[in-house]
PDB file of all heavy atoms in Angstrom:
ATOM      1  N   VAL A   1     -15.082 -17.824  -4.465  1.00 98.00           N
ATOM      2  CA  VAL A   1     -15.898 -19.115  -4.293  1.00 98.00           C
ATOM      3  C   VAL A   1     -16.720 -19.423  -5.512  1.00 98.00           C
ATOM      4  O   VAL A   1     -16.759 -20.449  -6.053  1.00 98.00           O
ATOM      5  CB  VAL A   1     -16.590 -19.219  -3.008  1.00 98.00           C
ATOM      6  CG1 VAL A   1     -17.418 -20.449  -2.924  1.00 98.00           C
ATOM      7  CG2 VAL A   1     -15.673 -19.109  -1.820  1.00 98.00           C
ATOM      8  N   SER A   2     -17.428 -18.293  -5.943  1.00 98.00           N
ATOM      9  CA  SER A   2     -18.295 -18.519  -7.052  1.00 98.00           C
ATOM     10  C   SER A   2     -17.719 -18.712  -8.320  1.00 98.00           C
ATOM     11  O   SER A   2     -18.172 -19.496  -9.173  1.00 98.00           O
ATOM     12  CB  SER A   2     -19.262 -17.251  -7.122  1.00 98.00           C
ATOM     13  OG  SER A   2     -19.993 -17.097  -5.955  1.00 98.00           O
ATOM     14  N   LEU A   3     -16.611 -18.066  -8.629  1.00 98.00           N
ATOM     15  CA  LEU A   3     -15.940 -18.142  -9.931  1.00 98.00           C
ATOM     16  C   LEU A   3     -14.817 -19.132  -9.991  1.00 98.00           C
ATOM     17  O   LEU A   3     -14.387 -19.460 -11.041  1.00 98.00           O
ATOM     18  CB  LEU A   3     -15.383 -16.759 -10.294  1.00 98.00           C
ATOM     19  CG  LEU A   3     -16.440 -15.583 -10.360  1.00 98.00           C
ATOM     20  CD1 LEU A   3     -15.689 -14.259 -10.761  1.00 98.00           C
ATOM     21  CD2 LEU A   3     -17.554 -15.944 -11.236  1.00 98.00           C
ATOM     22  N   GLY A   4     -14.365 -19.744  -8.890  1.00 98.00           N
ATOM     23  CA  GLY A   4     -13.342 -20.694  -8.928  1.00 98.00           C
ATOM     24  C   GLY A   4     -13.868 -22.021  -9.475  1.00 98.00           C
ATOM     25  O   GLY A   4     -15.069 -22.321  -9.483  1.00 98.00           O
ATOM     26  N   PRO A   5     -13.000 -22.807 -10.123  1.00 98.00           N
ATOM     27  CA  PRO A   5     -11.481 -22.641 -10.149  1.00 98.00           C
ATOM     28  C   PRO A   5     -11.062 -21.833 -11.408  1.00 98.00           C
ATOM     29  O   PRO A   5      -9.909 -21.648 -11.595  1.00 98.00           O
ATOM     30  CB  PRO A   5     -10.931 -24.056 -10.291  1.00 98.00           C
ATOM     31  CG  PRO A   5     -12.083 -24.804 -10.992  1.00 98.00           C
ATOM     32  CD  PRO A   5     -13.375 -24.189 -10.622  1.00 98.00           C
ATOM     33  N   ASP A   6     -11.969 -21.316 -12.214  1.00 98.00           N
ATOM     34  CA  ASP A   6     -11.685 -20.639 -13.420  1.00 98.00           C
ATOM     35  C   ASP A   6     -11.012 -19.348 -13.159  1.00 98.00           C
ATOM     36  O   ASP A   6     -10.020 -18.951 -13.871  1.00 98.00           O
ATOM     37  CB  ASP A   6     -12.779 -20.442 -14.317  1.00 98.00           C
ATOM     38  CG  ASP A   6     -13.459 -21.753 -14.875  1.00 98.00           C
ATOM     39  OD1 ASP A   6     -12.733 -22.768 -14.869  1.00 98.00           O
ATOM     40  OD2 ASP A   6     -14.609 -21.675 -15.171  1.00 98.00           O
ATOM     41  N   VAL A   7     -11.540 -18.646 -12.101  1.00 98.00           N
ATOM     42  CA  VAL A   7     -11.071 -17.311 -11.931  1.00 98.00           C
ATOM     43  C   VAL A   7     -10.710 -17.180 -10.485  1.00 98.00           C
ATOM     44  O   VAL A   7     -11.446 -17.524  -9.520  1.00 98.00           O
ATOM     45  CB  VAL A   7     -12.210 -16.225 -12.217  1.00 98.00           C
ATOM     46  CG1 VAL A   7     -11.729 -14.868 -11.942  1.00 98.00           C
ATOM     47  CG2 VAL A   7     -12.661 -16.352 -13.702  1.00 98.00           C
ATOM     48  N   ARG A   8      -9.492 -16.598 -10.198  1.00 98.00           N
ATOM     49  CA  ARG A   8      -9.184 -16.301  -8.862  1.00 98.00           C
ATOM     50  C   ARG A   8      -9.539 -14.834  -8.467  1.00 98.00           C
ATOM     51  O   ARG A   8      -9.551 -14.029  -9.351  1.00 98.00           O
ATOM     52  CB  ARG A   8      -7.563 -16.457  -8.635  1.00 98.00           C
ATOM     53  CG  ARG A   8      -7.041 -17.823  -8.886  1.00 98.00           C
ATOM     54  CD  ARG A   8      -5.583 -17.967  -8.688  1.00 98.00           C
ATOM     55  NE  ARG A   8      -4.813 -17.120  -9.635  1.00 98.00           N
ATOM     56  CZ  ARG A   8      -4.173 -15.994  -9.367  1.00 98.00           C
ATOM     57  NH1 ARG A   8      -4.231 -15.510  -8.036  1.00 98.00           N
ATOM     58  NH2 ARG A   8      -3.525 -15.348 -10.248  1.00 98.00           N
ATOM     59  N   ALA A   9      -9.776 -14.674  -7.200  1.00 98.00           N
ATOM     60  CA  ALA A   9     -10.127 -13.288  -6.712  1.00 98.00           C
ATOM     61  C   ALA A   9      -9.415 -13.032  -5.391  1.00 98.00           C
ATOM     62  O   ALA A   9      -9.628 -13.787  -4.530  1.00 98.00           O
ATOM     63  CB  ALA A   9     -11.673 -13.051  -6.621  1.00 98.00           C
ATOM     64  N   ASN A  10      -8.836 -11.879  -5.314  1.00 98.00           N
ATOM     65  CA  ASN A  10      -8.069 -11.483  -4.163  1.00 98.00           C
ATOM     66  C   ASN A  10      -8.237  -9.998  -3.840  1.00 98.00           C
ATOM     67  O   ASN A  10      -8.497  -9.223  -4.782  1.00 98.00           O
ATOM     68  CB  ASN A  10      -6.593 -11.863  -4.192  1.00 98.00           C
ATOM     69  CG  ASN A  10      -6.339 -13.322  -4.162  1.00 98.00           C
ATOM     70  OD1 ASN A  10      -6.505 -13.955  -3.098  1.00 98.00           O
ATOM     71  ND2 ASN A  10      -6.035 -13.894  -5.314  1.00 98.00           N
ATOM     72  N   CYS A  11      -8.111  -9.645  -2.601  1.00 98.00           N
ATOM     73  CA  CYS A  11      -8.244  -8.272  -2.125  1.00 98.00           C
ATOM     74  C   CYS A  11      -6.977  -7.671  -1.617  1.00 98.00           C
ATOM     75  O   CYS A  11      -6.280  -8.348  -0.906  1.00 98.00           O
ATOM     76  CB  CYS A  11      -9.422  -8.198  -1.125  1.00 98.00           C
ATOM     77  SG  CYS A  11      -9.654  -6.518  -0.394  1.00 98.00           S
ATOM     78  N   VAL A  12      -6.591  -6.485  -2.001  1.00 98.00           N
ATOM     79  CA  VAL A  12      -5.509  -5.760  -1.408  1.00 98.00           C
ATOM     80  C   VAL A  12      -6.053  -4.634  -0.630  1.00 98.00           C
ATOM     81  O   VAL A  12      -6.883  -3.770  -1.076  1.00 98.00           O
ATOM     82  CB  VAL A  12      -4.537  -5.223  -2.501  1.00 98.00           C
ATOM     83  CG1 VAL A  12      -3.475  -4.281  -1.854  1.00 98.00           C
ATOM     84  CG2 VAL A  12      -3.907  -6.380  -3.272  1.00 98.00           C
ATOM     85  N   SER A  13      -5.626  -4.478   0.674  1.00 97.00           N
ATOM     86  CA  SER A  13      -5.987  -3.472   1.576  1.00 97.00           C
ATOM     87  C   SER A  13      -4.874  -2.571   1.886  1.00 97.00           C
ATOM     88  O   SER A  13      -4.133  -2.830   2.844  1.00 97.00           O
ATOM     89  CB  SER A  13      -6.645  -4.043   2.896  1.00 97.00           C
ATOM     90  OG  SER A  13      -7.853  -4.706   2.527  1.00 97.00           O
ATOM     91  N   PRO A  14      -4.678  -1.375   1.193  1.00 97.00           N
ATOM     92  CA  PRO A  14      -3.586  -0.515   1.545  1.00 97.00           C
ATOM     93  C   PRO A  14      -3.925   0.215   2.795  1.00 97.00           C
ATOM     94  O   PRO A  14      -4.986   0.544   3.166  1.00 97.00           O
ATOM     95  CB  PRO A  14      -3.608   0.447   0.318  1.00 97.00           C
ATOM     96  CG  PRO A  14      -4.504  -0.260  -0.778  1.00 97.00           C
ATOM     97  CD  PRO A  14      -5.442  -1.048   0.028  1.00 97.00           C
ATOM     98  N   GLY A  15      -2.735   0.689   3.426  1.00 92.00           N
ATOM     99  CA  GLY A  15      -2.842   1.648   4.460  1.00 92.00           C
ATOM    100  C   GLY A  15      -2.610   3.023   3.927  1.00 92.00           C
ATOM    101  O   GLY A  15      -3.064   3.436   2.925  1.00 92.00           O
ATOM    102  N   TRP A  16      -1.673   3.796   4.610  1.00 88.00           N
ATOM    103  CA  TRP A  16      -1.247   5.111   4.184  1.00 88.00           C
ATOM    104  C   TRP A  16      -0.361   5.008   2.998  1.00 88.00           C
ATOM    105  O   TRP A  16       0.773   4.493   3.151  1.00 88.00           O
ATOM    106  CB  TRP A  16      -0.696   5.872   5.368  1.00 88.00           C
ATOM    107  CG  TRP A  16      -0.263   7.249   5.062  1.00 88.00           C
ATOM    108  CD1 TRP A  16      -0.375   7.937   3.836  1.00 88.00           C
ATOM    109  CD2 TRP A  16       0.198   8.256   5.934  1.00 88.00           C
ATOM    110  NE1 TRP A  16       0.078   9.226   3.952  1.00 88.00           N
ATOM    111  CE2 TRP A  16       0.457   9.467   5.181  1.00 88.00           C
ATOM    112  CE3 TRP A  16       0.525   8.178   7.267  1.00 88.00           C
ATOM    113  CZ2 TRP A  16       0.976  10.603   5.797  1.00 88.00           C
ATOM    114  CZ3 TRP A  16       1.032   9.341   7.946  1.00 88.00           C
ATOM    115  CH2 TRP A  16       1.219  10.484   7.283  1.00 88.00           C
ATOM    116  N   ILE A  17      -0.828   5.426   1.842  1.00 93.00           N
ATOM    117  CA  ILE A  17       0.017   5.343   0.651  1.00 93.00           C
ATOM    118  C   ILE A  17       0.139   6.813   0.123  1.00 93.00           C
ATOM    119  O   ILE A  17      -0.897   7.454  -0.085  1.00 93.00           O
ATOM    120  CB  ILE A  17      -0.650   4.461  -0.480  1.00 93.00           C
ATOM    121  CG1 ILE A  17      -0.969   3.048   0.030  1.00 93.00           C
ATOM    122  CG2 ILE A  17       0.294   4.428  -1.690  1.00 93.00           C
ATOM    123  CD1 ILE A  17       0.277   2.268   0.428  1.00 93.00           C
ATOM    124  N   ASP A  18       1.294   7.232  -0.113  1.00 93.00           N
ATOM    125  CA  ASP A  18       1.617   8.571  -0.568  1.00 93.00           C
ATOM    126  C   ASP A  18       1.319   8.638  -2.078  1.00 93.00           C
ATOM    127  O   ASP A  18       2.147   8.194  -2.844  1.00 93.00           O
ATOM    128  CB  ASP A  18       3.054   8.997  -0.233  1.00 93.00           C
ATOM    129  CG  ASP A  18       3.380  10.386  -0.742  1.00 93.00           C
ATOM    130  OD1 ASP A  18       2.431  11.027  -1.106  1.00 93.00           O
ATOM    131  OD2 ASP A  18       4.605  10.627  -0.854  1.00 93.00           O
ATOM    132  N   VAL A  19       0.224   9.104  -2.410  1.00 90.00           N
ATOM    133  CA  VAL A  19      -0.168   9.212  -3.836  1.00 90.00           C
ATOM    134  C   VAL A  19       0.069  10.476  -4.485  1.00 90.00           C
ATOM    135  O   VAL A  19      -0.153  10.631  -5.701  1.00 90.00           O
ATOM    136  CB  VAL A  19      -1.685   8.837  -3.994  1.00 90.00           C
ATOM    137  CG1 VAL A  19      -1.927   7.350  -3.509  1.00 90.00           C
ATOM    138  CG2 VAL A  19      -2.571   9.733  -3.338  1.00 90.00           C
ATOM    139  N   SER A  20       0.488  11.573  -3.748  1.00 85.00           N
ATOM    140  CA  SER A  20       0.618  12.909  -4.266  1.00 85.00           C
ATOM    141  C   SER A  20       1.963  13.516  -4.151  1.00 85.00           C
ATOM    142  O   SER A  20       2.174  14.602  -4.398  1.00 85.00           O
ATOM    143  CB  SER A  20      -0.512  13.771  -3.676  1.00 85.00           C
ATOM    144  OG  SER A  20      -0.393  13.912  -2.319  1.00 85.00           O
ATOM    145  N   GLY A  21       2.867  12.737  -3.578  1.00 81.00           N
ATOM    146  CA  GLY A  21       4.216  13.239  -3.342  1.00 81.00           C
ATOM    147  C   GLY A  21       4.104  14.428  -2.295  1.00 81.00           C
ATOM    148  O   GLY A  21       4.991  15.391  -2.270  1.00 81.00           O
ATOM    149  N   GLU A  22       3.175  14.266  -1.240  1.00 81.00           N
ATOM    150  CA  GLU A  22       3.106  15.398  -0.254  1.00 81.00           C
ATOM    151  C   GLU A  22       4.366  15.442   0.689  1.00 81.00           C
ATOM    152  O   GLU A  22       5.071  14.474   0.715  1.00 81.00           O
ATOM    153  CB  GLU A  22       1.826  15.092   0.593  1.00 81.00           C
ATOM    154  CG  GLU A  22       1.896  13.700   1.296  1.00 81.00           C
ATOM    155  CD  GLU A  22       0.574  13.389   1.944  1.00 81.00           C
ATOM    156  OE1 GLU A  22       0.109  14.180   2.757  1.00 81.00           O
ATOM    157  OE2 GLU A  22       0.009  12.372   1.556  1.00 81.00           O
ATOM    158  N   ALA A  23       4.519  16.517   1.312  1.00 86.00           N
ATOM    159  CA  ALA A  23       5.662  16.700   2.190  1.00 86.00           C
ATOM    160  C   ALA A  23       5.350  15.949   3.466  1.00 86.00           C
ATOM    161  O   ALA A  23       4.389  16.180   4.212  1.00 86.00           O
ATOM    162  CB  ALA A  23       5.822  18.143   2.528  1.00 86.00           C
ATOM    163  N   LEU A  24       6.009  14.887   3.732  1.00 90.00           N
ATOM    164  CA  LEU A  24       5.915  13.996   4.932  1.00 90.00           C
ATOM    165  C   LEU A  24       6.891  14.311   5.979  1.00 90.00           C
ATOM    166  O   LEU A  24       8.118  14.571   5.677  1.00 90.00           O
ATOM    167  CB  LEU A  24       5.973  12.524   4.453  1.00 90.00           C
ATOM    168  CG  LEU A  24       4.940  12.037   3.378  1.00 90.00           C
ATOM    169  CD1 LEU A  24       5.171  10.676   2.958  1.00 90.00           C
ATOM    170  CD2 LEU A  24       3.529  12.107   4.005  1.00 90.00           C
ATOM    171  N   ARG A  25       6.521  14.187   7.242  1.00 92.00           N
ATOM    172  CA  ARG A  25       7.359  14.484   8.351  1.00 92.00           C
ATOM    173  C   ARG A  25       8.149  13.186   8.776  1.00 92.00           C
ATOM    174  O   ARG A  25       7.688  12.117   8.504  1.00 92.00           O
ATOM    175  CB  ARG A  25       6.575  14.997   9.504  1.00 92.00           C
ATOM    176  CG  ARG A  25       5.666  16.208   9.161  1.00 92.00           C
ATOM    177  CD  ARG A  25       4.651  16.405  10.347  1.00 92.00           C
ATOM    178  NE  ARG A  25       3.833  15.276  10.429  1.00 92.00           N
ATOM    179  CZ  ARG A  25       2.946  15.071  11.495  1.00 92.00           C
ATOM    180  NH1 ARG A  25       2.974  15.931  12.470  1.00 92.00           N
ATOM    181  NH2 ARG A  25       2.218  13.997  11.570  1.00 92.00           N
ATOM    182  N   PRO A  26       9.243  13.327   9.385  1.00 86.00           N
ATOM    183  CA  PRO A  26       9.889  12.154   9.866  1.00 86.00           C
ATOM    184  C   PRO A  26       8.972  11.256  10.747  1.00 86.00           C
ATOM    185  O   PRO A  26       9.067  10.019  10.689  1.00 86.00           O
ATOM    186  CB  PRO A  26      11.021  12.628  10.697  1.00 86.00           C
ATOM    187  CG  PRO A  26      11.379  13.954  10.017  1.00 86.00           C
ATOM    188  CD  PRO A  26      10.028  14.549   9.603  1.00 86.00           C
ATOM    189  N   GLU A  27       8.121  11.863  11.602  1.00 89.00           N
ATOM    190  CA  GLU A  27       7.263  11.070  12.390  1.00 89.00           C
ATOM    191  C   GLU A  27       6.162  10.325  11.706  1.00 89.00           C
ATOM    192  O   GLU A  27       5.609   9.324  12.126  1.00 89.00           O
ATOM    193  CB  GLU A  27       6.667  11.879  13.517  1.00 89.00           C
ATOM    194  CG  GLU A  27       5.921  13.149  13.020  1.00 89.00           C
ATOM    195  CD  GLU A  27       6.847  14.496  13.033  1.00 89.00           C
ATOM    196  OE1 GLU A  27       7.966  14.346  12.721  1.00 89.00           O
ATOM    197  OE2 GLU A  27       6.288  15.543  13.451  1.00 89.00           O
ATOM    198  N   ASP A  28       5.845  10.802  10.487  1.00 82.00           N
ATOM    199  CA  ASP A  28       4.801  10.093   9.583  1.00 82.00           C
ATOM    200  C   ASP A  28       5.476   8.727   9.244  1.00 82.00           C
ATOM    201  O   ASP A  28       4.792   7.786   9.263  1.00 82.00           O
ATOM    202  CB  ASP A  28       4.545  10.889   8.427  1.00 82.00           C
ATOM    203  CG  ASP A  28       3.841  12.264   8.626  1.00 82.00           C
ATOM    204  OD1 ASP A  28       3.096  12.320   9.602  1.00 82.00           O
ATOM    205  OD2 ASP A  28       4.048  13.198   7.834  1.00 82.00           O
ATOM    206  N   HIS A  29       6.703   8.824   8.829  1.00 93.00           N
ATOM    207  CA  HIS A  29       7.386   7.502   8.517  1.00 93.00           C
ATOM    208  C   HIS A  29       7.643   6.657   9.712  1.00 93.00           C
ATOM    209  O   HIS A  29       7.427   5.457   9.728  1.00 93.00           O
ATOM    210  CB  HIS A  29       8.697   7.788   7.793  1.00 93.00           C
ATOM    211  CG  HIS A  29       8.636   8.523   6.510  1.00 93.00           C
ATOM    212  ND1 HIS A  29       8.063   7.813   5.345  1.00 93.00           N
ATOM    213  CD2 HIS A  29       8.834   9.707   6.051  1.00 93.00           C
ATOM    214  CE1 HIS A  29       8.030   8.702   4.289  1.00 93.00           C
ATOM    215  NE2 HIS A  29       8.536   9.807   4.744  1.00 93.00           N
ATOM    216  N   ALA A  30       8.208   7.262  10.823  1.00 84.00           N
ATOM    217  CA  ALA A  30       8.669   6.629  11.989  1.00 84.00           C
ATOM    218  C   ALA A  30       7.520   5.811  12.701  1.00 84.00           C
ATOM    219  O   ALA A  30       7.793   4.754  13.330  1.00 84.00           O
ATOM    220  CB  ALA A  30       9.283   7.457  12.875  1.00 84.00           C
ATOM    221  N   GLN A  31       6.305   6.169  12.628  1.00 90.00           N
ATOM    222  CA  GLN A  31       5.164   5.560  13.312  1.00 90.00           C
ATOM    223  C   GLN A  31       4.849   4.182  12.699  1.00 90.00           C
ATOM    224  O   GLN A  31       4.249   3.346  13.324  1.00 90.00           O
ATOM    225  CB  GLN A  31       3.857   6.415  13.265  1.00 90.00           C
ATOM    226  CG  GLN A  31       3.279   6.593  11.893  1.00 90.00           C
ATOM    227  CD  GLN A  31       2.001   7.392  11.993  1.00 90.00           C
ATOM    228  OE1 GLN A  31       1.073   7.175  12.716  1.00 90.00           O
ATOM    229  NE2 GLN A  31       1.963   8.454  11.210  1.00 90.00           N
ATOM    230  N   HIS A  32       5.303   3.938  11.468  1.00 91.00           N
ATOM    231  CA  HIS A  32       5.155   2.695  10.824  1.00 91.00           C
ATOM    232  C   HIS A  32       6.137   1.628  11.227  1.00 91.00           C
ATOM    233  O   HIS A  32       7.380   1.931  11.201  1.00 91.00           O
ATOM    234  CB  HIS A  32       5.199   2.794   9.308  1.00 91.00           C
ATOM    235  CG  HIS A  32       4.059   3.571   8.655  1.00 91.00           C
ATOM    236  ND1 HIS A  32       3.912   4.977   8.778  1.00 91.00           N
ATOM    237  CD2 HIS A  32       2.920   3.169   8.043  1.00 91.00           C
ATOM    238  CE1 HIS A  32       2.861   5.342   8.157  1.00 91.00           C
ATOM    239  NE2 HIS A  32       2.164   4.282   7.655  1.00 91.00           N
ATOM    240  N   PRO A  33       5.735   0.487  11.619  1.00 89.00           N
ATOM    241  CA  PRO A  33       6.728  -0.577  11.901  1.00 89.00           C
ATOM    242  C   PRO A  33       7.689  -0.846  10.769  1.00 89.00           C
ATOM    243  O   PRO A  33       8.887  -1.211  10.954  1.00 89.00           O
ATOM    244  CB  PRO A  33       5.868  -1.820  12.266  1.00 89.00           C
ATOM    245  CG  PRO A  33       4.579  -1.253  12.788  1.00 89.00           C
ATOM    246  CD  PRO A  33       4.363  -0.016  12.034  1.00 89.00           C
ATOM    247  N   ALA A  34       7.251  -0.671   9.491  1.00 91.00           N
ATOM    248  CA  ALA A  34       8.111  -0.787   8.331  1.00 91.00           C
ATOM    249  C   ALA A  34       9.077   0.376   8.161  1.00 91.00           C
ATOM    250  O   ALA A  34       9.987   0.280   7.334  1.00 91.00           O
ATOM    251  CB  ALA A  34       7.307  -0.975   7.061  1.00 91.00           C
ATOM    252  N   GLY A  35       8.842   1.436   8.929  1.00 88.00           N
ATOM    253  CA  GLY A  35       9.755   2.509   8.902  1.00 88.00           C
ATOM    254  C   GLY A  35       9.478   3.624   7.862  1.00 88.00           C
ATOM    255  O   GLY A  35      10.235   4.635   7.809  1.00 88.00           O
ATOM    256  N   ARG A  36       8.399   3.467   7.117  1.00 92.00           N
ATOM    257  CA  ARG A  36       8.105   4.541   6.136  1.00 92.00           C
ATOM    258  C   ARG A  36       6.644   4.499   5.821  1.00 92.00           C
ATOM    259  O   ARG A  36       6.016   3.377   5.942  1.00 92.00           O
ATOM    260  CB  ARG A  36       8.920   4.373   4.874  1.00 92.00           C
ATOM    261  CG  ARG A  36       8.792   3.072   4.149  1.00 92.00           C
ATOM    262  CD  ARG A  36       9.522   3.140   2.757  1.00 92.00           C
ATOM    263  NE  ARG A  36       9.420   1.821   2.167  1.00 92.00           N
ATOM    264  CZ  ARG A  36       8.369   1.539   1.337  1.00 92.00           C
ATOM    265  NH1 ARG A  36       7.456   2.281   1.136  1.00 92.00           N
ATOM    266  NH2 ARG A  36       8.436   0.282   0.655  1.00 92.00           N
ATOM    267  N   VAL A  37       6.151   5.541   5.154  1.00 90.00           N
ATOM    268  CA  VAL A  37       4.857   5.592   4.548  1.00 90.00           C
ATOM    269  C   VAL A  37       4.911   4.785   3.316  1.00 90.00           C
ATOM    270  O   VAL A  37       5.975   4.706   2.565  1.00 90.00           O
ATOM    271  CB  VAL A  37       4.424   7.089   4.264  1.00 90.00           C
ATOM    272  CG1 VAL A  37       3.194   7.181   3.434  1.00 90.00           C
ATOM    273  CG2 VAL A  37       4.256   7.803   5.636  1.00 90.00           C
ATOM    274  N   GLY A  38       3.723   4.133   2.901  1.00 90.00           N
ATOM    275  CA  GLY A  38       3.707   3.428   1.646  1.00 90.00           C
ATOM    276  C   GLY A  38       3.831   4.220   0.419  1.00 90.00           C
ATOM    277  O   GLY A  38       3.571   5.376   0.348  1.00 90.00           O
ATOM    278  N   ARG A  39       4.301   3.484  -0.684  1.00 95.00           N
ATOM    279  CA  ARG A  39       4.363   4.124  -2.014  1.00 95.00           C
ATOM    280  C   ARG A  39       3.420   3.364  -2.947  1.00 95.00           C
ATOM    281  O   ARG A  39       3.098   2.233  -2.720  1.00 95.00           O
ATOM    282  CB  ARG A  39       5.795   4.024  -2.514  1.00 95.00           C
ATOM    283  CG  ARG A  39       6.865   4.619  -1.601  1.00 95.00           C
ATOM    284  CD  ARG A  39       8.320   4.442  -2.289  1.00 95.00           C
ATOM    285  NE  ARG A  39       9.322   4.826  -1.257  1.00 95.00           N
ATOM    286  CZ  ARG A  39      10.164   3.994  -0.771  1.00 95.00           C
ATOM    287  NH1 ARG A  39      10.194   2.710  -1.127  1.00 95.00           N
ATOM    288  NH2 ARG A  39      11.100   4.438   0.114  1.00 95.00           N
ATOM    289  N   VAL A  40       2.987   4.091  -4.024  1.00 96.00           N
ATOM    290  CA  VAL A  40       2.130   3.487  -5.031  1.00 96.00           C
ATOM    291  C   VAL A  40       2.690   2.244  -5.581  1.00 96.00           C
ATOM    292  O   VAL A  40       2.040   1.207  -5.743  1.00 96.00           O
ATOM    293  CB  VAL A  40       1.861   4.532  -6.136  1.00 96.00           C
ATOM    294  CG1 VAL A  40       1.173   3.843  -7.313  1.00 96.00           C
ATOM    295  CG2 VAL A  40       0.991   5.748  -5.565  1.00 96.00           C
ATOM    296  N   GLU A  41       4.019   2.197  -5.839  1.00 97.00           N
ATOM    297  CA  GLU A  41       4.702   1.028  -6.387  1.00 97.00           C
ATOM    298  C   GLU A  41       4.566  -0.164  -5.436  1.00 97.00           C
ATOM    299  O   GLU A  41       4.555  -1.367  -5.825  1.00 97.00           O
ATOM    300  CB  GLU A  41       6.114   1.360  -6.663  1.00 97.00           C
ATOM    301  CG  GLU A  41       6.881   0.233  -7.378  1.00 97.00           C
ATOM    302  CD  GLU A  41       6.251  -0.161  -8.752  1.00 97.00           C
ATOM    303  OE1 GLU A  41       5.475   0.656  -9.356  1.00 97.00           O
ATOM    304  OE2 GLU A  41       6.502  -1.356  -9.185  1.00 97.00           O
ATOM    305  N   ASP A  42       4.374   0.051  -4.093  1.00 97.00           N
ATOM    306  CA  ASP A  42       4.214  -1.088  -3.211  1.00 97.00           C
ATOM    307  C   ASP A  42       3.018  -1.837  -3.592  1.00 97.00           C
ATOM    308  O   ASP A  42       2.962  -3.070  -3.500  1.00 97.00           O
ATOM    309  CB  ASP A  42       4.200  -0.658  -1.738  1.00 97.00           C
ATOM    310  CG  ASP A  42       5.512  -0.015  -1.269  1.00 97.00           C
ATOM    311  OD1 ASP A  42       6.570  -0.425  -1.666  1.00 97.00           O
ATOM    312  OD2 ASP A  42       5.428   0.992  -0.506  1.00 97.00           O
ATOM    313  N   ILE A  43       1.909  -1.093  -3.739  1.00 98.00           N
ATOM    314  CA  ILE A  43       0.623  -1.737  -4.112  1.00 98.00           C
ATOM    315  C   ILE A  43       0.644  -2.304  -5.554  1.00 98.00           C
ATOM    316  O   ILE A  43       0.202  -3.417  -5.780  1.00 98.00           O
ATOM    317  CB  ILE A  43      -0.510  -0.697  -3.970  1.00 98.00           C
ATOM    318  CG1 ILE A  43      -0.441  -0.017  -2.630  1.00 98.00           C
ATOM    319  CG2 ILE A  43      -1.836  -1.424  -4.268  1.00 98.00           C
ATOM    320  CD1 ILE A  43      -0.528  -1.019  -1.437  1.00 98.00           C
ATOM    321  N   ALA A  44       1.295  -1.528  -6.464  1.00 98.00           N
ATOM    322  CA  ALA A  44       1.299  -2.127  -7.810  1.00 98.00           C
ATOM    323  C   ALA A  44       2.078  -3.417  -7.969  1.00 98.00           C
ATOM    324  O   ALA A  44       1.613  -4.261  -8.652  1.00 98.00           O
ATOM    325  CB  ALA A  44       1.921  -1.039  -8.704  1.00 98.00           C
ATOM    326  N   ALA A  45       3.230  -3.538  -7.222  1.00 98.00           N
ATOM    327  CA  ALA A  45       3.901  -4.747  -7.284  1.00 98.00           C
ATOM    328  C   ALA A  45       3.162  -5.910  -6.764  1.00 98.00           C
ATOM    329  O   ALA A  45       3.199  -7.054  -7.234  1.00 98.00           O
ATOM    330  CB  ALA A  45       5.280  -4.555  -6.549  1.00 98.00           C
ATOM    331  N   LEU A  46       2.475  -5.690  -5.627  1.00 98.00           N
ATOM    332  CA  LEU A  46       1.629  -6.699  -5.087  1.00 98.00           C
ATOM    333  C   LEU A  46       0.479  -7.215  -5.968  1.00 98.00           C
ATOM    334  O   LEU A  46       0.279  -8.357  -6.098  1.00 98.00           O
ATOM    335  CB  LEU A  46       1.079  -6.194  -3.657  1.00 98.00           C
ATOM    336  CG  LEU A  46       0.144  -7.108  -2.902  1.00 98.00           C
ATOM    337  CD1 LEU A  46       0.739  -8.558  -2.700  1.00 98.00           C
ATOM    338  CD2 LEU A  46      -0.267  -6.579  -1.664  1.00 98.00           C
ATOM    339  N   VAL A  47      -0.160  -6.222  -6.621  1.00 98.00           N
ATOM    340  CA  VAL A  47      -1.170  -6.527  -7.499  1.00 98.00           C
ATOM    341  C   VAL A  47      -0.650  -7.324  -8.695  1.00 98.00           C
ATOM    342  O   VAL A  47      -1.287  -8.362  -9.153  1.00 98.00           O
ATOM    343  CB  VAL A  47      -1.979  -5.252  -8.007  1.00 98.00           C
ATOM    344  CG1 VAL A  47      -2.814  -5.628  -9.180  1.00 98.00           C
ATOM    345  CG2 VAL A  47      -2.737  -4.553  -6.926  1.00 98.00           C
ATOM    346  N   ALA A  48       0.519  -6.873  -9.236  1.00 98.00           N
ATOM    347  CA  ALA A  48       1.122  -7.706 -10.339  1.00 98.00           C
ATOM    348  C   ALA A  48       1.356  -9.024  -9.969  1.00 98.00           C
ATOM    349  O   ALA A  48       1.193 -10.024 -10.781  1.00 98.00           O
ATOM    350  CB  ALA A  48       2.355  -6.913 -10.804  1.00 98.00           C
TER     351      ALA A  48
END
């Protein structure tokens, strides 16, 4: 509101994002309605 219309501002709120390549269990993925834990690229693409 303060910087518009010159500058847009938005917020991304990630959930569980696998940032370390940890060993994930099938149930870790299955509990998500999307069917998997998030990846860093999911957030990067949204920001882009």
